[in-house]
Amino acid sequence: VPGHEIVGRVVRAGKKAKFLLDRKVAALLSHGGGCSRYVCIHAKDLVSLPETADSNEMVALLSTYIAAYQCLEFVQSENGMDPVGPSLDTAVSEDVKKSEESSSLTEVAGKKKSPLSGSCVLITGAGSPVGLALIDIAKNAGATVYAVSHSSHEKDIREIGVKEWYPLFRRQEWRAEWSGKMNLIVDTVGDYDNYPIFYEVMAPRGRFVRMNTTS
C-alpha cells in the first residue's frame, strides 16, 4: 500500500500510550502504507499536532519541507556536517536551540542573519514538490533564487516569487547568463550532462549538492 506521510487521529492505543487517544497526530512511514484507512505505528514515531493544524500543510511538512530544510541546513553549516536533529518530534525544539547558539537558516527574534542571506542559490528541478519547498525556504532565508525546470512548471515557480527562471533544455542560455554567480547549487534532477555547466555557473568557493526528491 503506498503512502508515506500521514495525518490522522488515534483510535486505539496500548497501555503506555493511552494519553494519545483521540489526539490529532502526524507520522512519516518509512515503508509506506499511509493510504490505508488504518495504520499501526509505534507511539514514539508519532508527532502530536494542535487541533488547529492544517492536515495538508502537515503532510507537506513531513517529507517535502523536512527534506528541503535539512538539505539547505546541511550545506550552509560551517563544516557541512550539521543537519537538523534526528527525529521529527525534536526537530523544532532542537532547531530553535541551535539557532540561539549559532547561525541557522532563519533569523531568531531578529538577532541573527541567515547564512543564506544575500547569496545566489540555483535549484534545478525546481518545479517538483521538494524543489518548490527549496525555493520557499531559500527565499525566506534571504537568498536570491534562480530556478531551472520543465517548462510546464514555470507558472508555479514564478507564483512563489522567482524572477530568474529558465527551462532546463536551454542550457547554453542560463550557463552564459548566470556564469560565476551561484554560491549554492541544489540539483534534484541528476542529469550528469548538466554537471560541467554547474561548475561554470558556480561562484568561487560555491557549493554543489545533489539530492533525491520525494514522489
Side-chain angles (χ1 to χ4, degrees):
V1 179
H4 291 276
E5 307 89 357
I6 61 170
V7 172
R9 197 168 295 279
V10 177
V11 295
R12 290 187 181 181
K15 293 181 179 180
K16 295 183 179 180
K18 293 294 185 181
F19 65 96
L20 288 171
L21 275 174
D22 203 38
R23 292 292 298 274
K24 188 174 185 178
V25 296
L28 185 62
L29 308 179
S30 59
H31 300 294
C35 292
S36 302
R37 184 175 181 182
Y38 298 101
V39 297
C40 182
I41 187 170
H42 200 287
K44 68 180 179 62
D45 295 323
L46 293 175
V47 179
S48 183
L49 300 176
E51 291 296 324
T52 56
D54 182 273
S55 295
N56 292 328
E57 292 180 356
M58 293 303 101
V59 167
L61 173 66
L62 284 171
S63 62
T64 305
Y65 268 80
I66 289 295
Y69 181 83
Q70 287 182 326
C71 171
L72 293 175
E73 183 79 355
F74 177 86
V75 297
Q76 66 82 35
S77 61
E78 184 175 355
N79 58 11
M81 296 294 289
D82 191 20
V84 173
S87 60
L88 287 175
D89 58 343
T90 59
V92 175
S93 60
E94 288 187 2
D95 178 53
V96 171
K97 180 180 179 181
K98 182 172 66 176
S99 297
E100 293 171 347
E101 298 172 350
S102 62
S103 297
S104 186
L105 285 174
T106 55
E107 295 183 8
V108 179
K111 295 180 180 179
K112 292 179 180 285
K113 182 179 290 187
S114 164
L116 287 179
S117 180
S119 64
C120 295
V121 178
L122 170 62
I123 299 167
T124 65
S128 68
V130 170
L132 293 172
L134 285 164
I135 292 173
D136 189 20
I137 295 171
K139 280 179 59 61
N140 279 287
T144 299
V145 176
Y146 298 72
V148 172
S149 73
H150 191 280
S151 298
S152 64
H153 297 146
E154 179 183 3
K155 181 181 178 181
D156 292 335
I157 291 170
R158 292 198 183 278
E159 282 182 349
I160 58 176
V162 175
K163 297 179 180 179
E164 301 289 343
W165 172 87
Y166 269 107
L168 185 59
F169 69 88
R170 289 166 57 182
R171 292 182 177 90
Q172 301 309 316
E173 295 180 50
W174 55 268
R175 177 177 68 177
E177 184 171 344
W178 299 340
S179 178
K181 283 187 176 181
M182 304 303 160
N183 305 109
L184 172 62
I185 299 171
V186 182
D187 175 38
T188 70
V189 176
D191 185 346
Y192 289 101
D193 290 338
N194 293 324
Y195 283 24
I197 302 177
F198 291 157
Y199 289 108
E200 289 188 39
V201 301
M202 187 182 296
R205 301 186 68 182
R207 292 188 174 187
F208 168 64
V209 60
R210 165 81 176 97
M211 70 174 296
N212 291 322
T213 62
T214 57
S215 60

